[in-house]
């Protein structure tokens, strides 16, 4: 599971609480004014799921780009090659020429359109389980024409003017760690802060530790 914190851009807080037109205090979910609640919840679930998928894509790129690999070309033959993703800057911003911002990890915003384009350019490097699921690196580099299941979800999100203004997965592994995203939907006027939930053994160990920690988690990284 993951956690989502939202702020609707069209409603101002009053006395510390969000107020509906009838001036009664309501929950953050109901603060999505002029928006169907079911649609709002579905939007949040899509963004929440995307945090997992996007980290998976970025990890495959960071782990394999520029690395030597071997693929089977015959019964007893293997050919060596170097992995080269096409335009990785569409999903990885850290090598961009823009100046770093001490208050965020991304150097520039990333859109669903950019992610979809990256997938289309690099489909051969990815493998997706039948019916969808976690992607893996495809060492065979086999060309693929059929879109992945994840691409249909990205197309749904592309219907709105949506931007990922920050995404930090630097301190994460497949067993856990910190992953969060800050997403702005200009069409529906909401901002979502999404945190990845428990995914593995290191997260489970952290969940079971109820001791207070008065020191910063990454002291040197604090601003």
């Amino acid at each position: 599971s993951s956690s989502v914190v939202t702020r609707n851009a069209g409603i101002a807080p009053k006395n510390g609480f969000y107020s509906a037109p009838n001036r009664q205090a309501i929950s953050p979910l109901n603060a999505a004014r002029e928006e169907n609640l079911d649609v709002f919840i579905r939007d949040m679930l899509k963004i929440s799921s995307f945090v997992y998928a996007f980290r998976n894509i970025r990890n495959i790129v960071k782990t394999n780009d520029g690395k030597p690999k071997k693929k089977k070309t015959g019964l007893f033959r293997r050919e060596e090659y170097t992995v080269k993703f096409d335009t990785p800057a569409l999903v990885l911003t850290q090598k961009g020429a823009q100046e770093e911002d001490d208050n965020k990890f991304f150097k520039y915003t990333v859109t669903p359109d950019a992610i979809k384009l990256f997938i289309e350019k690099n489909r051969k490097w990815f493998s997706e389980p039948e019916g969808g699921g976690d992607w893996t690196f495809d060492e065979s580099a086999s060309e693929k024409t059929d879109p992945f299941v994840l691409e249909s979800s990205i197309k749904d999100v592309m219907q709105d003017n949506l931007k990922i203004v920050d995404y930090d997965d630097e301190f994460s592994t497949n067993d856990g760690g910190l992953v969060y995203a800050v997403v702005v939907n200009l069409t529906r006027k909401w901002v979502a802060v999404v945190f990845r939930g428990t995914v593995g053994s290191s997260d489970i160990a952290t969940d079971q530790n109820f001791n207070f920690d008065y020191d910063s988690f990454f002291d040197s990284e604090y601003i």
Side-chain angles (χ1 to χ4, degrees), residues 200-213:
S201 57
S202 64
D203 278 346
I204 292 173
T206 301
D207 294 343
Q208 293 175 337
N209 184 359
F210 293 97
N211 295 323
F212 286 112
D213 184 359

Side-chain angles (χ1 to χ4, degrees), residues 139-218:
E139 290 195 357
S140 71
S142 57
E143 295 293 342
K144 306 172 184 70
T145 56
D146 294 334
F148 294 124
V149 173
L150 176 63
E151 290 180 77
S152 62
S153 300
I154 295 176
K155 286 182 68 175
D156 289 342
V157 176
M158 286 170 58
Q159 295 177 12
D160 290 347
N161 185 355
L162 186 144
K163 298 178 180 180
I164 306 170
V165 297
D166 200 11
Y167 188 94
D168 193 343
D169 54 2
E170 185 177 9
F171 302 109
S172 70
T173 67
N174 291 333
D175 287 329
L178 175 65
V179 178
Y180 74 84
V182 180
V183 183
V184 177
N185 189 321
L186 297 175
T187 303
R188 301 186 185 276
K189 297 182 179 180
W190 54 249
V191 177
V193 180
V194 189
F195 296 89
R196 187 178 71 171
T198 300
V199 296
S201 57
S202 64
D203 278 346
I204 292 173
T206 301
D207 294 343
Q208 293 175 337
N209 184 359
F210 293 97
N211 295 323
F212 286 112
D213 184 359
Y214 295 101
D215 298 322
S216 60
F217 192 39
F218 297 106

Side-chain angles (χ1 to χ4, degrees), residues 25-180:
I26 58 175
S27 69
L29 278 177
N30 289 332
R33 186 174 61 181
E34 298 178 359
E35 183 170 19
N36 182 279
L37 184 58
D38 290 338
V39 173
F40 182 69
I41 292 175
R42 283 198 297 270
D43 283 348
M44 292 300 101
L45 289 174
K46 287 178 184 177
I47 295 300
S48 177
S49 298
F50 177 74
V51 168
Y52 291 81
F54 193 41
R55 188 264 165 192
N56 189 216
I57 294 171
R58 285 166 52 86
N59 184 59
I60 291 173
V61 178
K62 289 187 289 185
T63 302
N64 296 283
D65 194 31
K67 302 292 177 62
K69 300 283 184 179
K70 289 183 178 181
K71 65 179 177 179
K72 191 174 182 180
T73 57
L75 188 59
F76 300 106
R77 294 180 57 192
R78 292 179 69 85
E79 177 183 302
E80 188 169 303
Y81 66 94
T82 300
V83 179
K84 185 173 178 57
F85 284 91
D86 189 335
T87 325
L90 290 169
V91 295
L92 301 178
T93 72
Q94 297 318 108
K95 292 184 179 180
Q98 294 84 346
E99 290 186 10
E100 292 188 4
D101 186 337
D102 290 338
N103 296 310
K104 66 177 188 176
F105 187 67
F106 264 14
K107 282 192 172 182
Y108 48 83
T109 60
V110 172
T111 65
D113 304 67
I115 297 167
K116 186 174 184 299
L117 178 60
F118 175 77
I119 294 172
E120 291 171 350
K121 286 175 172 286
N122 297 278
R123 195 175 278 122
K124 69 178 181 179
W125 298 118
F126 298 105
S127 178
E128 183 183 56
E130 186 176 351
D134 289 343
W135 288 10
T136 55
F137 178 73
D138 186 356
E139 290 195 357
S140 71
S142 57
E143 295 293 342
K144 306 172 184 70
T145 56
D146 294 334
F148 294 124
V149 173
L150 176 63
E151 290 180 77
S152 62
S153 300
I154 295 176
K155 286 182 68 175
D156 289 342
V157 176
M158 286 170 58
Q159 295 177 12
D160 290 347
N161 185 355
L162 186 144
K163 298 178 180 180
I164 306 170
V165 297
D166 200 11
Y167 188 94
D168 193 343
D169 54 2
E170 185 177 9
F171 302 109
S172 70
T173 67
N174 291 333
D175 287 329
L178 175 65
V179 178
Y180 74 84

